[in-house]
Amino acid sequence: MELRTLRYFVAVAEELHFGRAATRLHMSQPPLSRAIKQLEADVGALLFTRSPTGIALTPVGTVLLGEARELLQHADRVRTRVSAAAGASTLTVGILGDGTDPGVAKLAAAFRRAHPGIDIRIRDTDLTDPTCGLRTGLVDVALTRAPFDETALTVRALRSDPVGVVLRADDPLAGHVRLRLADLDDRRWFQFPRGTDPVWQAYWNADRPREGPEVRAVQECLHAVLWNGTVGLAPLGHDLPAELAVVPLADMTPSRVVAAWNEGDTNPLLRSFVEIAIAAYRR
């Protein structure tokens, strides 16, 4: 029973959908399905019930899910401690979408001063995975934005940003000082692909079903507005091309910048990173 296969199983168990799990794992569905079938053969029991309406965990699958989560967390801790003992301490940081946030630069400088011998690896991720690869073990900690599904994760707020709507500069609404969500009801919004975290998708769609082109990255969002005249939400304070404008929204919940990591991870280097991040973002 390989750790990689257990990570696949946990993704399917949490998504209860092979397609969404495959998207989350950044792999195609057929090899994922084969891996789960092989795991069921190894266990000697079905882990999921399958029907035309979807899949569900069996009692055996429910037991394995709890054990697999604990085992994967332990494996991550072992990896960190062994690396530290070998003198090759590293920390992999996932950054969502836009690494130009000034808070990131302050954090990098402060962390280098505190831990000059630590090798930091950066994984820049697109907007389809707000956890930046935490659930699949690709990163140790994520600098991202909430809200998203926080199951089995620990999340700490770093900053709160007001949110506005991005428009073309020649849009009739671009001249307003402030708008409300109702002013955008007749507009097309850019969308994230199917399988994206539903909590995350709902927030950026202002809790309503929307229609519009699919996007995965910040630049794709901006080009959807520029080329198609769609609208979308964005935190205030970021520089935009002259052809675009952002108007604050009076009735939109602020966007929280957060640090997130896997629940139960006791890596002292991770704890230090989070403490430094909290201080850096509040300056």
Side-chain angles (χ1 to χ4, degrees), residues 168-275:
R168 275 204 307 236
D170 60 359
D171 191 297
L173 295 179
H176 287 64
V177 175
R178 193 172 296 273
L179 291 168
R180 302 185 69 84
L181 288 167
D183 297 323
L184 309 172
D185 282 348
D186 61 342
R187 299 300 188 93
R188 299 178 75 233
W189 293 46
F190 49 70
Q191 302 289 300
F192 301 130
R194 290 184 63 183
T196 298
D197 185 314
V199 178
W200 170 259
Q201 178 82 283
Y203 175 82
W204 294 107
N205 280 346
D207 292 316
R208 285 191 53 183
R210 308 286 182 178
E211 293 184 358
E214 284 190 358
V215 296
R216 290 178 173 270
V218 171
Q219 288 302 315
E220 290 180 9
C221 297
L222 299 182
H223 280 291
V225 178
L226 184 63
W227 289 85
N228 300 315
T230 56
V231 302
L233 307 187
L236 302 183
H238 290 266
D239 293 333
L240 292 175
E243 296 82 7
L244 299 176
V246 59
V247 180
L249 287 166
D251 53 347
M252 184 65 194
T253 305
S255 169
R256 292 182 297 125
V257 179
V258 301
W261 62 98
N262 286 306
E263 194 174 81
D265 192 333
T266 59
N267 181 358
L269 187 59
L270 171 59
R271 291 201 302 271
S272 178
F273 179 91
V274 173
E275 291 169 1

Side-chain angles (χ1 to χ4, degrees), residues 84-98:
S89 295
T90 62
L91 193 70
T92 303
V93 180
I95 297 180
L96 182 76
D98 185 4

Side-chain angles (χ1 to χ4, degrees), residues 55-123:
I55 65 172
L57 280 167
T58 64
V60 175
T62 299
V63 171
L64 181 59
L65 178 58
E67 296 293 335
R69 283 171 171 163
E70 290 185 13
L71 183 58
L72 290 172
Q73 289 170 4
H74 179 70
D76 289 340
R77 290 194 295 271
V78 169
R79 180 190 60 191
T80 299
R81 290 172 181 171
V82 170
S83 295
S89 295
T90 62
L91 193 70
T92 303
V93 180
I95 297 180
L96 182 76
D98 185 4
T100 62
D101 188 321
V104 174
K106 293 178 182 177
L107 168 56
F111 192 84
R112 284 199 311 272
R113 289 194 296 269
H115 301 282
I118 299 300
D119 181 20
I120 294 293
R121 299 173 183 171
I122 299 299
R123 183 175 185 268

Side-chain angles (χ1 to χ4, degrees), residues 9-57:
F9 165 72
V10 170
V12 176
E14 290 177 347
E15 298 292 344
L16 291 178
H17 190 281
F18 278 91
R20 289 195 297 269
T23 299
R24 172 170 142 183
L25 294 165
H26 303 285
M27 63 187 297
S28 60
Q29 187 172 331
L32 176 60
S33 298
R34 289 194 296 270
I36 296 301
K37 287 181 180 179
Q38 183 59 54
L39 180 60
E40 290 177 323
D42 293 342
V43 171
L46 289 177
L47 301 173
F48 300 96
T49 58
R50 298 160 174 85
S51 71
T53 59
I55 65 172
L57 280 167

